[in-house]
Amino acid sequence: LDYQHVQVPFEITLWIMLASLAKIGFHLYNKLPSVVPESCLLIFVGLIMGGIIYGLNDKSPPVMDSDIFFLYLLPPIVLDAGYFMPSRPFFENMGTILLYAVVGTIWNVFGIGFSLYGICQVKAFHLQDVSLLHNLLFGSLIAAVDPVAVLAVFEEIHVNEKLHILVFGESLLNDAVTVVLYKLFRSFCEMPTIKSMDVFAGVGKFFVVGLGGVLVGLTFGMTAAFTTRFTKEIRVIEPLFVFLYSYLSYLTAEMFHLSGIVAIIVCAMGMKRYVEANISLKSHTTVKYFMKMWSSVSDTLIFIFLGVSTIGENHEWNWPYICFTVIFCLIWRALGVLVLTFFVNRFHVNTITSKDQFIIAYGGLRGAICFSLVFLLPDFHRKKLFIAATTVVILFTVFVQGMTIRPLVDLLAVKRKRESAPTVGEQIHIRFLDHLLAGIEDISGHWGQYYWKDKLEYFNSKYLQKILLREYDQPKSSIVLLYEKLERKHAIELAEAGQLGHAPSHPSLVRSGFLCSNNDRSVITDKKLEVTLNPDVLENIQEILARNLYRIRRTGPAYNRHTLPGETEPTEHAKEILILRHQSL
Amino acid sequence: LDYQHVQVPFEITLWIMLASLAKIGFHLYNKLPSVVPESCLLIFVGLIMGGIIYGLNDKSPPVMDSDIFFLYLLPPIVLDAGYFMPSRPFFENMGTILLYAVVGTIWNVFGIGFSLYGICQVKAFHLQDVSLLHNLLFGSLIAAVDPVAVLAVFEEIHVNEKLHILVFGESLLNDAVTVVLYKLFRSFCEMPTIKSMDVFAGVGKFFVVGLGGVLVGLTFGMTAAFTTRFTKEIRVIEPLFVFLYSYLSYLTAEMFHLSGIVAIIVCAMGMKRYVEANISLKSHTTVKYFMKMWSSVSDTLIFIFLGVSTIGENHEWNWPYICFTVIFCLIWRALGVLVLTFFVNRFHVNTITSKDQFIIAYGGLRGAICFSLVFLLPDFHRKKLFIAATTVVILFTVFVQGMTIRPLVDLLAVKRKRESAPTVGEQIHIRFLDHLLAGIEDISGHWGQYYWKDKLEYFNSKYLQKILLREYDQPKSSIVLLYEKLERKHAIELAEAGQLGHAPSHPSLVRSGFLCSNNDRSVITDKKLEVTLNPDVLENIQEILARNLYRIRRTGPAYNRHTLPGETEPTEHAKEILILRHQSL
């Protein structure tokens, strides 16, 4: 037995396997997932596992490594979120999201920090040694809403799209603020004196970290799109580039102390439309599927590790401090949302209702990012207190808020996500209005959202598409693309139901069990079989065979590492059909 | 700048990126890949990179780590090979393949070992200090044909399927022999005296290592198939299980010193048919695509690293030893193939022609496995000589043999792979003959290949399928599955060419540019457009709309981590179509 040799990959594989099996287990009982969010169950599994490890080894189970979290577990989730981000609602509410993410987070950090400092002054709690700076540092890590936790809960409660994007967008974009404030306070803690220069430098850093992330993301996204122009000959490695470039954007941003989350989101959103147009349909399915799979596994692992890391002796249970942390987190977030929304509503026609405000405030879940940040703190004598407080806040938000938010949404009758897609009429109206508003803004000299969107679209179709797309003929409008997609889907369904137009397939009709219960129909089919002997029809069949014979030629069963069996160029097929049809006319 | 923090993932990502870009680069010039095999070009890129690193740092570039090779780079390639293995030719030629893999490899090991020992006795070469045991150890690592190198060359020359599977199968299955002999001789080298017991134990180990690998593979393969029975609710993580279980089978086998390659191949071949039936179509596309992608990248990295590792000061250039190694490798392989084929041909009706024999002998390429094994040798004073000899043998086989095999195949007019798939008639005949032969074998009491195949098929449909398949109704015969697949493909092509039976789509016809050049046809279409106003046709259209309206309902643009946009159950669709069709009749 040589366990040492294979230990690292073996244990990683086993952890992933455990996570996947846990996921399967929950979904075996249909009722469980509808009552308890998956994140709670996974933390619970983690707690049990941690307890077992603790019981067996009699020492604290291993804590989730912050490096592993930030370098390997977080990027897939953020990439998935960025790639599948509904871009229209995101950009429409950009201003509000940024306000919540930047001003709201700063508000929370200072609110929580100062009020906890106040609590520390109460002599009965024995907390006088926690300085203001330490409290602010703690505030900076506990204030940030966590995208992983928010996603895990919000995707199950199906609130309306605007509300969803407000909370989710905030949780993604506050990363830049959190990074800056956390690093600022941490360096202040280690400095002997703080000059006013340092504070100003900190403010300047905001813009560097955020905009730097955007720049890094854009660069890598455009490079990725450009690279996929040249992958026509080797379809199999196309999906790789999507992952490689977005991961590189994250790592590069982290390397330069910029916001990695912002970088990877910008990269994913930027490359999506060009990559989609360049790569093959199968590659795109793989990209989408693998992204979902990866983020799903990462997310499962994070919650399980969160549970495992909770068990142990890393905590200092000073209950007053912990309880006040939970309370202040709730209060300051609620206040912040109220105040900010007041200003937002004054400038918008579509106001945020008070119900929505409640859900925004209540949906401010904390998660693994806080947890990793608190373990990254430099060692000082109250670190264990901060760890305990963070753990309790996370468990409270995920368990109590996460489990009650669904009943609350039901109770308040918060506006839900519309189930049906917009009709074609609505879509045409939306597009028409966009153009109209862009025109009005242009005439009135107001450079608003629609004006910029129009300009961007122009720039895109004039320059970007020519550089980044492989087959740039004319821009296909989205409605044509939709039509093609529906047509293809329809065809597959018809084939599966066994009723393709040209060659009615008798066996498939019989197999479907439909004919057996319907006598009239079977008579028709019998008649059809008789008719088949008719010379006209025979000729017709021969023609169909001649037209489709190319299919037979292609199905070679050979093994090849670079191609998938039966994979051929769809355009070539279509061309061949057209040529054959031309000849047969 | 904080490079330390992201170094490991950043450098891995960059290496993969380099490999992928190198691949794209080659395929940009269409002529290059048709003359030089990709493996040669990749080694060449590696050599250049190695030279650059050597020139800049003035020390040897890092050598490919054997652990990285065996734990991370080799498994994807072998998994891919096992999963897409054409099982019929493989099992039909199983006896021959095993003979080549086991007896042939032992023959080569001892042949090369003893004759190199003979060379070492020549005083002029200054090699008297290389003992017989060391020569045999070297023989055991240099004798094995490498699956990665064989694949890279053979998939480009398109020889007939039997020839391909003979060389490729041998290269995969000789792993068990290589592992045993290599470890045996290595431990003998370190022992003071060798007892006859040790030699017998070594022979016994053959069976343990090989059959143990088969057992581990089967266990994990069946578990994987069983697990995918329960993934219906969480389609996104289905592909994961295929990778996790096969990787676990490899690691487990390695852990117990069994043959990991055999284990992963058996696992992949065993689970394939059940997994395919259990998981969704999209999951299966992802599995296939990702496997191809991964193996393709691994393979690229291996060849690049091979090139990089060649540069440096790890070599002792004793040319007589090196040249004789190359010569003996060629001679013993040729002799082995001749002798073994003589026996094989006496017992088979389909004999292996002398042309085929030449290609089998000539196609015995060495690759990264030898290279990793030679670096794993314990340190002794002639290790650098062995490294040099291995490097030269690999480069010789990959460059000289790899580049000349294609012209030779052309020159000898070796029977090629048939381009067309077997016709339905042929398939029916093959199946009929299988049954017939199974019956004859049963009656005559001869337990041959067909008898066992029949028994296995019976066992499979009677027990295994019931346990491992989710929807086990009645076994669909492969011809029905093929029919469904063709029907589906046909439908997609029709849709892409814009001519679905029920709803002829005018815009798509116009777009295809076909109608513009054909006046008769456009008249017909015009007529059709007029006819559309006919009340009968209108009714028909309404019926079609009513029948297909469910499609519209489904396209919701919401973001969810666990589902892909627009993903629904295909069976559900088909059912709904049938119900609607029933109502409309």
Side-chain angles (χ1 to χ4, degrees):
Chain A
L1 187 77
D2 182 9
Y3 184 59
Q4 283 280 306
H5 178 55
V6 298
Q7 188 176 11
V8 177
F10 196 74
E11 286 182 1
I12 292 173
T13 318
L14 275 188
W15 273 110
I16 298 177
M17 183 71 99
L18 172 83
S20 316
L21 290 178
K23 249 184 139 73
I24 289 189
F26 299 150
H27 286 276
L28 279 185
Y29 299 96
N30 281 329
K31 280 184 186 167
L32 209 57
S34 66
V35 180
V36 189
E38 208 181 79
S39 46
C40 298
L41 287 168
L42 290 171
I43 290 183
F44 196 69
V45 168
L47 286 173
I48 293 172
M49 295 256 343
I52 293 173
I53 296 174
Y54 189 50
L56 289 179
N57 292 354
D58 208 27
K59 62 176 183 182
S60 304
V63 165
M64 172 162 59
D65 190 315
S66 298
D67 261 6
I68 290 178
F69 174 74
F70 281 112
L71 290 183
Y72 305 109
L73 294 176
L74 189 58
I77 299 177
V78 183
L79 172 63
D80 177 63
Y83 198 80
F84 292 101
M85 177 85 81
S87 56
R88 199 187 161 85
F90 180 73
F91 285 112
E92 264 175 5
N93 298 299
M94 191 61 150
T96 318
I97 292 171
L98 275 177
L99 195 71
Y100 283 143
V102 179
V103 182
T105 307
I106 295 173
W107 165 285
N108 276 311
V109 169
F110 284 95
I112 295 170
F114 278 110
S115 29
L116 279 178
Y117 182 62
I119 294 300
C120 289
Q121 303 315 309
V122 179
K123 281 197 176 150
F125 297 157
H126 307 293
L127 288 161
Q128 284 100 323
D129 56 332
V130 185
S131 69
L132 175 62
L133 217 46
H134 276 121
N135 272 316
L136 284 173
L137 178 56
F138 180 62
S140 76
L141 68 88
I142 204 75
V145 175
D146 187 82
V148 183
V150 165
L151 256 186
V153 167
F154 270 68
E155 70 188 9
E156 289 180 6
I157 58 175
H158 306 295
V159 292
N160 65 73
E161 208 155 41
K162 188 181 173 186
L163 186 50
H164 187 178
I165 204 73
L166 284 181
V167 183
F168 181 47
E170 180 203 338
S171 71
L172 286 174
L173 297 188
N174 66 19
D175 178 60
V177 181
T178 311
V179 167
V180 171
L181 283 182
Y182 177 77
K183 288 192 177 153
L184 201 70
F185 289 131
R186 210 176 63 174
S187 56
F188 282 178
C189 281
E190 284 160 359
M191 276 186 216
T193 54
I194 300 158
K195 292 173 194 158
S196 56
M197 259 307 285
D198 296 325
V199 178
F200 281 111
V203 175
K205 252 192 156 180
F206 270 131
F207 297 95
V208 175
V209 168
L211 295 180
V214 171
L215 204 71
V216 169
L218 264 185
T219 313
F220 279 97
M222 292 301 114
T223 320
F226 187 69
T227 310
T228 51
R229 265 189 76 161
F230 304 102
T231 53
K232 205 181 171 190
E233 297 300 319
I234 26 167
R235 289 286 191 199
V236 275
I237 59 166
E238 276 175 349
L240 201 63
F241 287 106
V242 174
F243 298 107
L244 285 180
Y245 277 110
S246 35
Y247 193 43
L248 273 185
S249 77
Y250 182 84
L251 291 177
T252 310
E254 287 286 306
M255 193 158 70
F256 293 106
H257 296 291
L258 305 174
S259 167
I261 293 183
V262 171
I264 202 169
I265 283 179
V266 172
C267 177
M269 290 179 82
M271 75 178 153
K272 189 185 182 190
R273 90 193 255 183
Y274 306 108
V275 167
E276 253 181 51
N278 279 337
I279 69 180
S280 79
L281 203 72
K282 278 188 180 170
S283 297
H284 195 230
T285 307
T286 307
V287 168
K288 287 192 295 183
Y289 229 88
F290 211 78
M291 235 174 234
K292 287 279 170 210
M293 191 178 92
W294 213 337
S295 75
S296 187
V297 168
S298 280
D299 156 273
T300 313
L301 282 175
I302 286 173
F303 284 114
I304 287 186
F305 280 146
L306 212 55
V308 171
S309 311
T310 304
I311 306 287
E313 286 151 358
N314 291 317
H315 310 286
E316 182 194 334
W317 299 110
N318 183 315
W319 284 108
Y321 192 83
I322 292 171
C323 291
F324 275 108
T325 307
V326 174
I327 294 167
F328 287 140
C329 279
L330 289 173
I331 291 177
W332 283 104
R333 180 159 177 86
L335 279 179
V337 170
L338 274 180
V339 172
L340 290 177
T341 316
F342 174 74
F343 286 108
V344 168
N345 279 348
R346 286 190 62 173
F347 295 103
H348 279 81
V349 184
N350 284 323
T351 55
I352 300 166
T353 66
S354 50
K355 282 176 192 173
D356 286 356
Q357 288 174 40
F358 176 76
I359 296 297
I360 292 173
Y362 201 73
L365 307 181
R366 268 67 162 184
I369 289 185
C370 309
F371 197 77
S372 299
L373 286 179
V374 81
F375 272 99
L376 277 181
L377 282 181
D379 271 326
F380 77 110
H381 65 290
R382 287 292 194 168
K383 188 177 172 181
K384 286 189 173 181
L385 173 64
F386 286 177
I387 292 177
T390 309
T391 308
V392 171
V393 170
I394 293 170
L395 292 185
F396 180 83
T397 55
V398 171
F399 275 87
V400 178
Q401 292 180 217
M403 281 169 76
T404 51
I405 199 165
R406 196 200 305 243
L408 279 172
V409 165
D410 290 340
L411 197 75
L412 293 172
V414 172
K415 200 179 152 209
R416 296 302 182 94
K417 195 171 70 188
R418 55 187 293 176
E419 283 297 308
S420 60
T423 61
V424 175
E426 279 175 307
Q427 284 184 352
I428 291 172
H429 265 90
I430 290 170
R431 181 158 299 208
F432 170 69
L433 281 175
D434 282 3
H435 280 292
L436 193 69
L437 284 166
I440 291 173
E441 284 187 349
D442 203 7
I443 291 167
S444 66
H446 171 69
W447 290 355
Q449 169 185 346
Y450 296 98
Y451 173 82
W452 284 113
K453 201 178 159 189
D454 204 57
K455 281 275 175 263
L456 205 66
E457 205 51 61
Y458 178 77
F459 177 71
N460 174 47
S461 63
K462 184 99 180 175
Y463 304 106
L464 279 183
Q465 290 197 342
K466 278 183 197 162
I467 302 169
L468 301 178
L469 293 189
R470 185 186 305 142
E471 282 155 11
Y472 176 73
D473 298 328
Q474 66 258 31
K476 271 186 189 173
S477 84
S478 58
I479 206 155
V480 173
L481 288 174
L482 180 75
Y483 169 79
E484 283 180 0
K485 202 173 138 192
L486 287 175
E487 189 84 328
R488 213 177 291 128
K489 212 171 145 194
H490 180 196
I492 293 173
E493 286 155 11
L494 282 182
E496 274 168 355
Q499 49 162 342
L500 258 192
H502 288 299
S505 49
H506 184 60
S508 64
L509 284 174
V510 174
R511 238 185 321 111
S512 67
F514 175 67
L515 288 184
C516 312
S517 63
N518 193 323
N519 286 326
D520 302 41
R521 185 75 181 158
S522 70
V523 170
I524 296 170
T525 327
D526 284 343
K527 216 181 274 170
K528 215 178 259 168
L529 281 178
E530 281 166 24
V531 173
T532 313
L533 299 170
N534 185 319
D536 275 359
V537 181
L538 262 181
E539 203 182 78
N540 190 19
I541 288 172
Q542 277 167 354
E543 193 210 305
I544 290 168
L545 281 176
R547 197 188 293 162
N548 296 302
L549 218 56
Y550 71 97
R551 274 197 281 115
I552 313 296
R553 234 171 47 221
R554 296 285 163 95
T555 48
Y559 175 85
N560 186 308
R561 189 137 26 92
H562 303 296
T563 55
L564 289 163
E567 187 198 29
T568 37
E569 274 305 297
T571 52
E572 211 178 290
H573 271 182
K575 212 186 291 166
E576 203 165 333
I577 298 177
L578 283 172
I579 292 166
L580 283 166
R581 198 149 56 89
H582 197 176
Q583 290 168 349
S584 69
L585 277 170
Chain B
L1 187 77
D2 182 10
Y3 185 61
Q4 283 279 307
H5 178 55
V6 298
Q7 188 178 11
V8 178
F10 196 75
E11 286 182 0
I12 293 172
T13 317
L14 275 188
W15 273 111
I16 299 177
M17 184 72 99
L18 172 82
S20 316
L21 290 178
K23 250 183 139 72
I24 290 189
F26 298 151
H27 286 276
L28 279 185
Y29 298 95
N30 282 328
K31 281 186 182 165
L32 209 56
S34 66
V35 179
V36 188
E38 209 182 77
S39 44
C40 298
L41 287 168
L42 291 171
I43 291 183
F44 196 68
V45 168
L47 286 173
I48 293 171
M49 295 255 341
I52 293 172
I53 297 174
Y54 189 50
L56 290 179
N57 293 354
D58 209 27
K59 63 177 183 181
S60 303
V63 165
M64 172 161 60
D65 190 315
S66 298
D67 261 6
I68 291 178
F69 173 74
F70 281 112
L71 290 182
Y72 305 108
L73 293 177
L74 188 58
I77 298 178
V78 183
L79 172 63
D80 177 63
Y83 198 82
F84 292 100
M85 178 86 81
S87 57
R88 198 185 162 87
F90 180 73
F91 283 113
E92 265 176 4
N93 297 299
M94 190 63 149
T96 317
I97 292 172
L98 276 177
L99 195 71
Y100 283 142
V102 179
V103 183
T105 307
I106 295 174
W107 164 287
N108 276 311
V109 169
F110 284 96
I112 295 171
F114 279 111
S115 29
L116 279 179
Y117 183 61
I119 294 299
C120 290
Q121 303 316 309
V122 179
K123 281 197 177 149
F125 297 156
H126 309 295
L127 289 161
Q128 282 101 324
D129 55 334
V130 185
S131 70
L132 175 62
L133 217 46
H134 276 121
N135 271 318
L136 285 173
L137 177 57
F138 180 63
S140 76
L141 70 87
I142 203 76
V145 176
D146 188 80
V148 182
V150 164
L151 256 184
V153 166
F154 268 69
E155 70 189 8
E156 289 180 6
I157 58 175
H158 306 294
V159 292
N160 65 73
E161 208 156 42
K162 188 180 173 188
L163 186 50
H164 187 178
I165 204 74
L166 284 180
V167 183
F168 181 45
E170 179 202 338
S171 71
L172 286 173
L173 297 188
N174 67 17
D175 178 58
V177 181
T178 311
V179 167
V180 170
L181 283 183
Y182 178 77
K183 287 189 179 156
L184 202 70
F185 288 130
R186 210 175 62 174
S187 55
F188 283 178
C189 282
E190 283 159 1
M191 275 187 219
T193 54
I194 299 158
K195 292 172 195 158
S196 57
M197 260 306 285
D198 296 325
V199 177
F200 281 112
V203 175
K205 254 193 154 180
F206 270 131
F207 296 95
V208 175
V209 167
L211 295 180
V214 171
L215 203 72
V216 169
L218 264 186
T219 315
F220 278 97
M222 293 301 113
T223 320
F226 187 70
T227 310
T228 51
R229 266 189 75 160
F230 304 101
T231 52
K232 205 182 172 191
E233 296 300 317
I234 25 168
R235 290 285 191 200
V236 274
I237 58 167
E238 277 176 349
L240 202 64
F241 286 107
V242 174
F243 298 107
L244 286 180
Y245 277 110
S246 36
Y247 193 43
L248 272 185
S249 77
Y250 182 83
L251 292 178
T252 310
E254 287 285 307
M255 192 159 69
F256 292 107
H257 295 292
L258 306 173
S259 167
I261 293 185
V262 170
I264 202 168
I265 282 179
V266 171
C267 177
M269 289 179 83
M271 74 178 153
K272 189 187 180 190
R273 86 193 257 183
Y274 306 108
V275 166
E276 253 180 51
N278 280 335
I279 68 179
S280 78
L281 202 72
K282 276 187 180 171
S283 298
H284 194 230
T285 307
T286 308
V287 168
K288 288 193 294 182
Y289 229 87
F290 211 77
M291 232 174 237
K292 288 278 169 208
M293 192 177 91
W294 214 336
S295 75
S296 186
V297 169
S298 280
D299 157 273
T300 313
L301 282 176
I302 287 173
F303 284 114
I304 288 186
F305 280 147
L306 212 54
V308 171
S309 311
T310 303
I311 304 287
E313 286 149 0
N314 291 316
H315 310 286
E316 182 193 333
W317 300 110
N318 184 314
W319 282 107
Y321 192 83
I322 293 170
C323 292
F324 275 108
T325 308
V326 174
I327 293 167
F328 287 140
C329 280
L330 289 173
I331 291 176
W332 284 103
R333 180 158 179 87
L335 280 178
V337 170
L338 275 179
V339 173
L340 290 176
T341 316
F342 174 74
F343 286 107
V344 168
N345 278 349
R346 285 190 60 173
F347 295 102
H348 280 81
V349 183
N350 284 324
T351 54
I352 300 167
T353 65
S354 49
K355 281 177 192 171
D356 286 356
Q357 288 175 42
F358 175 76
I359 296 297
I360 292 173
Y362 202 72
L365 307 182
R366 268 67 162 185
I369 290 185
C370 309
F371 197 77
S372 299
L373 286 178
V374 81
F375 273 99
L376 276 181
L377 283 180
D379 272 327
F380 77 110
H381 65 290
R382 288 291 195 169
K383 189 176 171 182
K384 287 191 172 180
L385 173 64
F386 286 178
I387 293 176
T390 310
T391 309
V392 171
V393 169
I394 293 170
L395 293 185
F396 180 83
T397 55
V398 171
F399 274 87
V400 179
Q401 292 178 215
M403 281 170 75
T404 52
I405 198 165
R406 195 199 306 240
L408 279 172
V409 165
D410 290 340
L411 198 73
L412 293 172
V414 172
K415 203 178 149 207
R416 295 301 181 92
K417 196 170 69 187
R418 53 187 293 176
E419 284 297 311
S420 60
T423 62
V424 175
E426 278 175 310
Q427 284 184 354
I428 292 172
H429 264 91
I430 289 169
R431 179 159 299 207
F432 169 71
L433 280 174
D434 281 2
H435 280 290
L436 192 70
L437 283 166
I440 292 172
E441 284 187 349
D442 203 6
I443 291 168
S444 65
H446 171 69
W447 290 354
Q449 166 186 351
Y450 294 99
Y451 173 82
W452 285 113
K453 200 178 160 190
D454 203 55
K455 281 276 174 260
L456 204 68
E457 205 51 61
Y458 178 77
F459 177 71
N460 173 46
S461 63
K462 186 101 179 173
Y463 304 105
L464 279 183
Q465 288 198 343
K466 279 184 195 159
I467 302 169
L468 301 178
L469 292 190
R470 186 187 304 142
E471 281 155 12
Y472 176 73
D473 299 326
Q474 66 257 29
K476 272 185 188 172
S477 82
S478 59
I479 206 155
V480 173
L481 289 174
L482 179 75
Y483 170 77
E484 284 181 1
K485 200 172 138 195
L486 286 176
E487 189 86 324
R488 212 178 294 129
K489 209 169 145 196
H490 181 194
I492 293 173
E493 286 156 11
L494 282 182
E496 274 170 354
Q499 49 163 341
L500 258 192
H502 287 297
S505 50
H506 184 60
S508 64
L509 284 176
V510 173
R511 239 186 319 114
S512 67
F514 176 67
L515 287 183
C516 312
S517 63
N518 193 324
N519 284 327
D520 302 40
R521 186 73 181 160
S522 69
V523 171
I524 297 171
T525 327
D526 282 345
K527 218 183 273 170
K528 216 178 256 169
L529 280 177
E530 279 169 23
V531 173
T532 314
L533 299 170
N534 185 319
D536 276 0
V537 180
L538 260 182
E539 206 182 76
N540 190 20
I541 287 171
Q542 277 167 354
E543 193 211 304
I544 290 168
L545 282 176
R547 196 188 292 162
N548 296 302
L549 218 57
Y550 72 97
R551 274 197 282 115
I552 313 296
R553 237 172 43 223
R554 297 285 164 96
T555 48
Y559 175 84
N560 185 309
R561 188 134 31 91
H562 302 296
T563 54
L564 289 162
E567 187 198 27
T568 37
E569 274 306 296
T571 53
E572 213 177 288
H573 270 181
K575 214 186 290 166
E576 205 167 328
I577 297 177
L578 282 173
I579 293 166
L580 283 166
R581 199 148 58 88
H582 197 178
Q583 290 168 349
S584 69
L585 278 168

